[in-house]
Structures are given as structure tokens and as C-alpha cells.
Amino acid sequence: MARFDVLAHGYDLFRKPPTRQIIARANLKKHDRVLDVGGGTGVLAQKIRPLVKKVLILDPSAGMRAKAKAKDIAVVAGVAEQMPFSNASFDVVFCTDAFHHIRHQTRAIKEIHRVLKPHGLLVMEEFDPATVRGRCVVLLEKLLAFGSTFWTPDALAGLLTRNHFSVIIPTRSWVYILCARKLNKALRA
């Protein structure tokens, strides 16, 4: 995560997620508890905070967490594959521009399922490697040796469906948004 510690200093200058569209997909409620997996410097969490009861960032990068803390956002050190939270802790989980960086992605999906409340919502934003601009992102991350694994919207929907989520893909572009509702079935670790 040292690479992201260095990137944290200028991250907010070059990463501008489509926060309005992402937040709109979540249909947030004032009583919601929200987790932002790989939430980095808190760009999204900062916009969510006034809309919900609690928002928390889970991120492995100390540099990214420090930037989020400076914005007065609650942060926890950790990885998506082994979250330090109780079962059914969150109403909504966001994972924006982060899933492709997670090494053990299926394990992360199972952990997200575990920490979501019954019928909880996962909102993801990712780059589609099947598009020209998406392939440019893939190439850049390959050149930077990030070790990223990208999914097309349909492939990611398939992974989520196999792990007991019902999925819709409301936005298809080189950057896509995917929403997945937790189905209440037990998952094996």
C-alpha cells in the first residue's frame, strides 16, 4: 500500500468520481450506516456524511486514511478480504474505483455480503476493460505495476450473482456503476 500512501498527496486533484450518480443509486436514508470500502481520501464519504447516520471508510493505505481523517471522516485500517466488522453492520456498502485493486476479489465479495444487513445494498463504480478508455486505464495500471484485475459489467454481475446478490447495472460506459442487493442466503467462507 506504500504506492497509495504516495498517491494520497495529490489523489483528490486527479480522481473525480461521478459522486452524484453514485449516491443517487444508493437511495440513502438518514438512519443508514454506510461503509466505503477502499474509500481512500474520502471524496465520496465526505458527500455522503450529511445524508446518513454514519459513514466509515475501510482502507489499507495509511496515507489515504490520513487524508480522510483530515476531512473529519471516520476511518478504519483494513482490507476488504478480512473486514473488522460484525455481521450485518451496514445498510449500504460503496466500493468505487477500488475493487480492481483488491487481490482476493471473491473473498472481498463474501465479506461485503457478511457485513451488509439483510437486503443491504452494494454500489460499485469500476472501469470497463472492454471499452477503449477502459483499456487505457488497464494499460496505465499495468505500467504502474498495480496488479489490478478489471471486470466487464456483465462478468462482475455474474460474480456477484454467484455470491448471493441480485444485480442491476444502471450505468454502462467506460466507467460503470453497478448496484447489488444482498440476498439472504448464507455463504461459505
Side-chain angles (χ1 to χ4, degrees):
M1 287 304 110
R3 181 174 291 127
F4 283 97
D5 292 341
V6 171
L7 288 175
H9 300 292
Y11 191 78
D12 290 355
L13 297 174
F14 70 86
R15 176 63 182 136
K16 305 288 185 201
T19 53
R20 267 198 342 256
Q21 296 103 311
I22 293 166
I23 292 169
R25 300 297 178 202
N27 192 26
L28 295 170
K29 310 279 187 294
K30 202 66 173 151
H31 66 285
D32 282 346
R33 293 178 42 84
V34 175
L35 176 63
D36 189 358
V37 173
T41 63
V43 172
L44 182 62
Q46 192 172 29
K47 302 245 193 253
I48 292 169
R49 185 174 46 197
L51 306 174
V52 299
K53 181 177 183 177
K54 180 174 179 97
V55 63
L56 182 65
I57 289 176
L58 175 74
D59 202 286
S61 166
M64 293 285 192
R65 291 191 314 271
K67 290 290 185 179
K69 267 187 183 175
K71 297 173 186 171
D72 200 29
I73 298 167
V75 298
V76 171
V79 295
E81 299 96 317
Q82 190 173 9
M83 295 189 204
F85 308 115
S86 300
N87 295 350
S89 296
F90 300 97
D91 300 286
V92 179
V93 172
F94 288 93
C95 187
T96 61
D97 186 18
F99 190 68
H100 57 273
H101 294 294
I102 297 170
R103 188 169 310 258
H104 305 286
Q105 294 173 326
T106 300
R107 182 71 198 136
I109 293 298
K110 290 179 183 197
E111 277 290 283
I112 290 168
H113 190 279
R114 182 184 67 77
V115 302
L116 272 172
K117 291 180 180 178
H119 306 292
L121 184 67
L122 167 62
V123 180
M124 302 176 81
E125 178 237 13
E126 276 294 317
F127 301 100
D128 185 348
T131 65
V132 172
R133 290 171 79 181
R135 283 192 293 275
C136 291
V137 173
V138 171
L139 178 61
L140 176 63
E141 295 212 3
K142 192 171 281 204
L143 291 172
L144 294 172
F146 276 179
S148 302
T149 301
F150 293 87
W151 297 71
T152 65
D154 292 327
L156 185 52
L159 174 66
L160 289 161
T161 300
R162 288 188 300 279
N163 285 281
H164 306 290
F165 284 92
S166 94
V167 179
I168 62 162
I169 307 167
T171 304
R172 287 181 184 265
S173 181
W174 74 282
V175 175
Y176 65 93
I177 298 171
L178 180 147
C179 301
R181 181 81 52 197
K182 175 181 178 177
L183 301 174
N184 295 322
K185 295 183 180 178
L187 291 180
R188 293 188 192 130

